Amino acid sequence: MRKTLSRLSLFVVVFTFLTGLVGGQISQAQEPEFERGTVTSGETFVAEASGSALVHGVSETGLYIVRLSEPALASYRGGVSGLAPTSPEVTGKAKLDTSSPDVLAYISYLTQKQAEFVSTVEQSLGRQMEVVYNYVGVLNGLAIRASYEEANEIATLPGVAAVYGDTLRELNTDVGPIHIGAPAIWNGDTGSGFATRGEGIVIGIIDSGINFFHPSFYAMDGGGYIHTNPYGDGVFKGWCATHAGYCNNKLIAAYNFFTPGQPPVDTDGHGSHTASTAGGNAHTASFSIGTTDYNIPIQGVAPRANIVAYKVCDPGCPGSASIASVNSAILDDQVDVLNYSISGSDFPWTDPVEL
């Protein structure tokens, strides 16, 4: 299981994705060195020329993720003339302010550099490239449609840090809030005078989509609490910006990065499950098993948080779509916390989603 929640104001934080920590407590881990061309931990490393970047694995989707050498928005510490640092570690801000002039200037810089790189690739390969995703948030790179042989050639170009074959991941399950002690937070046992149920927090769910019409995601919960939309009353993003009747002031945005242009409806149930576990409304679930009726009060870890849903699985989960979700969460959606209940590799140093 991989669960990512980072900065849930006064909340229990389980597992980490954005902070770069990986599931099983790796202390003082250093990126190991390899000989180019060796096979290690199930990953295939290929480099055609000495000093070139590595191609990590063969794509399962036809896409290759190209990571460029210049730092992404979240990690840029300065060094380019005329461009101030944007990393919160340097600026001292709690999160990226994507509307600030410094951030916008560096986004423009990276966007221009990526356009120049695409031109270089097209000249090298002698054909027009299909760029499916551009990333600038936590990874500076692109997802492009290419053959394995072309990926090897791209890896030799200047400015390329690494090239990754896009992989399909599997959905994982989750555990209930009671197992992590959430009720103690809700009841104020760990401190007083704080909002302890997720008020003011936006949770992004990277998964299989969302059940838009489940009571876990209604604008008012079962106890009468009315959610506040941080974008403004009735303002929604993604699919909901142009399709009325899907989102509300609880579920404020939804995207389909698995099949862009299609509704991000959860046809699996896993995304709705993890979304309700992380931030589902307090309400009573009524159901029957055989001849026995049940009325069970349920709620998520942060029941008063807002939800943004990213569909990246159906049923497999391409890494390229997951990275696009993180990019959107940082740049466009004001997301504070990301939930990622999807499998991953055992080798984070060569996993673009982990990076």
Side-chain angles (χ1 to χ4, degrees), residues 1-4 17 22 60 167-173 206-207 270 312-313 315-319 322 340-347 351 353-354:
M1 173 189 312
R2 286 180 187 255
K3 181 88 167 166
T4 309
F17 173 72
V22 185
E60 298 175 345
T167 57
L168 290 170
R169 304 287 171 75
E170 297 178 354
L171 292 165
N172 286 340
T173 188
I206 302 176
D207 215 285
H270 189 275
V312 303
C313 307
C317 313
S322 295
Y340 182 78
S341 296
I342 299 171
S343 63
S345 72
D346 295 325
F347 206 69
D351 186 335
V353 178
E354 296 281 1

Side-chain angles (χ1 to χ4, degrees), residues 195-201 215-230 248-250 279-283 299 302-306:
T196 60
R197 295 176 182 264
E199 295 91 334
I201 296 296
S216 290
F217 314 119
Y218 285 174
M220 184 172 70
D221 72 9
Y225 176 80
I226 299 175
H227 290 279
T228 300
N229 184 344
N248 56 56
N249 285 345
K250 165 75 170 182
N281 284 333
H283 69 283
Q299 61 184 310
R304 294 182 179 178
N306 300 99

Side-chain angles (χ1 to χ4, degrees), residues 17 65 133 135 166-167 169 206-207 257-258 310-313 317-328 338 340 342-343 353:
F17 173 72
I65 299 164
Y133 296 116
Y135 313 122
D166 195 17
T167 57
R169 304 287 171 75
I206 302 176
D207 215 285
F257 286 111
F258 186 89
Y310 302 96
K311 180 168 185 170
V312 303
C313 307
C317 313
S320 56
S322 295
I323 300 170
S325 298
V326 176
N327 202 66
S328 181
L338 280 174
Y340 182 78
I342 299 171
S343 63
V353 178

Side-chain angles (χ1 to χ4, degrees), residues 132-345:
V132 180
Y133 296 116
N134 293 83
Y135 313 122
V136 298
V138 292
L139 183 141
N140 174 26
L142 316 91
I144 61 176
R145 198 169 299 282
S147 68
Y148 181 68
E149 292 72 24
E150 288 174 329
N152 279 287
E153 186 171 343
I154 292 169
T156 67
L157 296 176
V160 176
V163 179
Y164 310 92
D166 195 17
T167 57
L168 290 170
R169 304 287 171 75
E170 297 178 354
L171 292 165
N172 286 340
T173 188
D174 189 22
V175 294
I178 194 169
H179 290 248
I180 61 170
I185 304 292
W186 298 333
N187 297 332
D189 297 343
T190 57
S192 60
F194 302 108
T196 60
R197 295 176 182 264
E199 295 91 334
I201 296 296
V202 178
I203 303 176
I205 307 294
I206 302 176
D207 215 285
S208 63
I210 196 80
N211 180 347
F212 287 94
F213 309 110
H214 193 278
S216 290
F217 314 119
Y218 285 174
M220 184 172 70
D221 72 9
Y225 176 80
I226 299 175
H227 290 279
T228 300
N229 184 344
Y231 304 155
D233 186 37
V235 178
F236 310 117
K237 296 187 178 183
W239 174 263
C240 300
T242 54
H243 296 82
Y246 284 87
C247 285
N248 56 56
N249 285 345
K250 165 75 170 182
L251 176 56
I252 56 177
Y255 297 82
N256 189 337
F257 286 111
F258 186 89
T259 311
Q262 296 299 310
V265 173
D266 186 5
T267 56
D268 179 279
H270 189 275
S272 302
H273 163 63
T274 55
S276 61
T277 300
N281 284 333
H283 69 283
T284 299
S286 300
F287 58 95
S288 300
I289 299 178
T291 59
T292 305
D293 296 328
Y294 295 89
N295 295 285
I296 308 296
I298 61 172
Q299 61 184 310
V301 175
R304 294 182 179 178
N306 300 99
I307 300 291
V308 175
Y310 302 96
K311 180 168 185 170
V312 303
C313 307
D314 195 14
C317 313
S320 56
S322 295
I323 300 170
S325 298
V326 176
N327 202 66
S328 181
I330 291 174
L331 298 186
D332 302 321
D333 305 325
Q334 302 175 30
V335 168
D336 299 296
V337 179
L338 280 174
N339 182 84
Y340 182 78
S341 296
I342 299 171
S343 63
S345 72

Side-chain angles (χ1 to χ4, degrees), residues 11-27:
F11 259 93
V12 178
V13 178
V14 284
F15 308 104
T16 314
F17 173 72
L18 287 180
T19 55
L21 299 180
V22 185
Q25 291 295 336
I26 302 175
S27 299

